[in-house]
Amino acid sequence: MTDTGSNFYIATGGTLAKDAPSYIPRQADTDLYNALK
């Protein structure tokens, strides 16, 4: 069974932590990080 606890969903406008269970890495995340390095 999948955990759908309160830490899975984030309110609109909230910040999603990278280790959140609902976080899906995107290429844009990597591109931005590399551009800022």
Side-chain angles (χ1 to χ4, degrees), residues 18-30:
K18 186 173 183 177
D19 62 348
S22 56
Y23 177 79
I24 299 172
R26 303 171 302 164
Q27 184 62 44
D29 299 330
T30 303

Side-chain angles (χ1 to χ4, degrees), residues 4-5 7-10 12-15 17-19 21-22 24-25 27-30 32-37:
T4 57
N7 65 342
F8 187 84
Y9 296 103
I10 304 298
T12 301
T15 302
K18 186 173 183 177
D19 62 348
S22 56
I24 299 172
Q27 184 62 44
D29 299 330
T30 303
L32 177 62
Y33 177 77
N34 288 332
L36 293 172
K37 283 197 315 188

